[in-house]
Amino acid sequence: MDRPLRLPQQDRADFETELGRALAAPQVRAALGAGGAEGREVERLRRVARENAEFVLAAAAPEYERYAALRADADAVARLPVDAPARERASGWWGVLGVVVPVIAVTAAVIFLLLGSVLGLVEDLEVLARALVDAGWVSAGVGAVSLLVGGPGLLGAARSKRSGAGEVADGAGELLRARDAWRAALAERGLVPYLVAQANAAPGQRL
């Protein structure tokens, strides 16, 4: 009966996949064909590879250590508390200050200035006209200040969001490359040479 692999559950499927590919590799098939009884030998090689997995895995130890370290880092980052609602609220406030307030203030300024100019033509309404014109200029000033303060904040929030998404994508890509490197090393330096050696071994030397 096969002994269970001493690998984390998430890596056992990768080992089995590379073992299947290695058994189908031309070098292994050629070694099996030379000894005859290929069907029984394939199953024997599969069994001894599993039973001696520690020896096979040692050939790709550097790649696996790097892959495991990157995966541990990714898991640790994923467990960190992320206050996404607070970040979204901050971004929303910058949007209000940098976009909504300036639009409303400028619109009010235009209305006040137009009304003040029109009412200024009526002699009895000069006081009201001046008040409307002053209110228009105040609104224009509020809009300008809001745009100056909120605009950079909104741009900064957008850059931060893009940067965070880029870092996540880079980390995932590096982890995937490390996994592929480990699997390639496992097959090329570990499984294929081991299986060829076992296929060519004399019956008394087989494991």
Side-chain angles (χ1 to χ4, degrees):
M1 185 175 181
D2 290 349
R3 290 183 297 181
L5 293 177
R6 294 181 181 178
L7 274 175
Q9 185 64 40
Q10 55 196 335
D11 296 330
R12 295 179 188 178
D14 287 341
F15 181 90
E16 291 294 337
T17 298
E18 294 307 321
L19 176 57
R21 290 176 179 173
L23 287 168
Q27 307 95 303
V28 177
R29 286 298 179 183
L32 288 173
E38 183 175 330
R40 291 195 303 273
E41 281 295 287
V42 167
E43 292 309 311
R44 183 185 71 82
L45 291 180
R46 191 188 304 275
R47 175 178 56 80
V48 297
R50 289 170 177 167
E51 292 178 348
N52 297 278
E54 290 83 358
F55 174 79
V56 177
L57 291 166
E63 288 80 4
Y64 183 76
E65 288 174 2
R66 181 172 185 274
Y67 170 47
L70 289 173
R71 186 171 59 194
D73 290 344
D75 291 343
V77 170
R79 287 193 294 269
L80 289 176
V82 178
D83 192 359
R87 190 166 54 202
E88 292 298 327
R89 286 195 298 270
S91 178
W93 282 114
W94 283 122
V96 170
L97 191 60
V99 177
V100 177
V101 172
V103 169
I104 294 175
V106 169
T107 302
V110 171
I111 293 173
F112 288 149
L113 290 173
L114 286 175
L115 285 176
S117 299
V118 172
L119 294 178
L121 300 176
V122 181
E123 185 175 351
D124 294 338
L125 299 176
E126 289 181 355
V127 175
L128 177 60
R130 283 198 299 272
L132 288 173
V133 170
D134 291 341
W137 286 118
V138 170
S139 297
V142 170
V145 171
S146 298
L147 184 61
L148 290 174
V149 174
L154 185 61
L155 292 176
R159 281 197 298 268
S160 177
K161 186 178 294 186
R162 286 197 299 270
S163 175
E167 289 177 1
V168 171
D170 290 343
E174 187 177 8
L175 181 60
L176 183 60
R177 289 190 293 272
R179 179 191 178 198
D180 290 342
W182 168 60
R183 291 178 57 167
L186 175 63
E188 295 168 7
R189 299 203 309 265
L191 286 166
V192 170
Y194 178 80
L195 294 173
V196 170
Q198 287 298 310
N200 289 329
Q205 299 174 330
R206 293 176 179 177
L207 298 177

